[in-house]
Amino acid sequence: EDDAARLRMQLRQDRGLGDERFARLLWRSAMLRALVRDEVVLTDDALRALYDLRYGPVRRARVIVTRTMSQAQAALARIKEGDEFSRVAAEVSVDASARTGGVIAPISRSDPAWPQAVREAAFGATTRAPIGPLAVETGYAVLMVDGEDVPASPPDFESVRALLGESLRVREERRLSDRLAR
């Protein structure tokens, strides 16, 4: 409780939220959530996707992102000829991961933060085999899966269904509230 209160006060100070402004912001958020509450629909597919995101396997991977298809093809050719993926990533990638040899956060099959093409490629790829080029928002990507992490003993879906539902409900209320506020 003490840590939560301290963090709340620090957040309020950082954002310049005095007592009145903070109270009005809380009221506004509560009213927006109340307005959209009945619009929230929790589907079994959405719950299973969230379960997979939290408890499912993830792939450890590296990426090289280039601005053009020809640059991605050249990077892929260098790797297939024996150049180290990390060296090529450091030299040609425009992604922030270039400085770490292309290492990116683990990819979940259900994580919407990653483009569908990247998720499908990561879970369809053989470990240590470069794949691509893949069209991504910022250009073209070459991907290499380093391995997979599988949770040792994930909870049964039904045992966490209610927890997942509440989390999904809050996320959807936030998304719909933001849309309404805009």
Side-chain angles (χ1 to χ4, degrees):
E1 267 183 53
D2 292 341
D3 285 343
R6 185 182 51 75
L7 290 171
R8 187 172 48 250
M9 286 305 296
Q10 182 65 47
L11 178 69
R12 287 179 60 184
Q13 285 176 346
D14 292 349
R15 295 191 180 173
L17 298 173
D19 291 340
E20 185 174 334
R21 188 165 178 220
F22 183 66
R24 287 180 185 224
L25 183 61
L26 288 178
W27 181 86
R28 177 184 179 268
S29 295
M31 292 301 106
L32 284 169
R33 287 181 67 182
L35 287 171
V36 301
R37 182 174 293 129
D38 293 338
E39 294 179 45
V40 174
V41 177
L42 303 180
T43 66
D44 197 54
D45 286 346
L47 288 170
R48 290 193 182 278
L50 184 56
Y51 176 84
D52 186 57
L53 181 62
R54 288 193 180 169
Y55 304 110
V58 294
R59 293 281 174 107
R60 294 183 316 279
R62 297 171 182 263
V63 70
I64 297 170
V65 179
T66 62
R67 298 206 192 291
T68 67
M69 171 76 85
S70 60
Q71 291 171 327
Q73 289 170 329
L76 183 60
R78 283 181 58 186
I79 295 162
K80 287 183 176 180
E81 290 170 3
D83 253 352
E84 277 188 44
F85 193 99
S86 57
R87 180 190 332 242
V88 178
E91 291 174 7
V92 304
S93 184
V94 296
D95 190 69
S97 67
R99 67 179 174 272
T100 60
V103 175
I104 56 176
I107 301 170
S108 166
R109 188 184 323 267
S110 300
D111 190 350
W114 297 105
Q116 183 69 29
V118 171
R119 289 182 276 153
E120 287 175 2
F123 279 86
T126 304
T127 303
R128 309 294 299 164
I131 51 173
L134 305 167
V136 294
E137 189 174 306
T138 55
Y140 296 88
V142 175
L143 186 73
M144 185 171 72
V145 174
D146 289 331
E148 181 174 79
D149 293 329
V150 179
S153 56
D156 177 64
F157 175 75
E158 291 303 326
S159 70
V160 292
R161 180 188 274 278
L163 179 67
L164 295 171
E166 184 55 32
S167 179
L168 189 57
R169 173 171 294 288
V170 168
R171 188 169 70 189
E172 278 299 296
E173 284 177 356
R174 186 175 299 129
R175 184 183 67 77
L176 291 169
S177 294
D178 288 347
R179 185 184 75 194
L180 180 61
R182 278 193 300 278

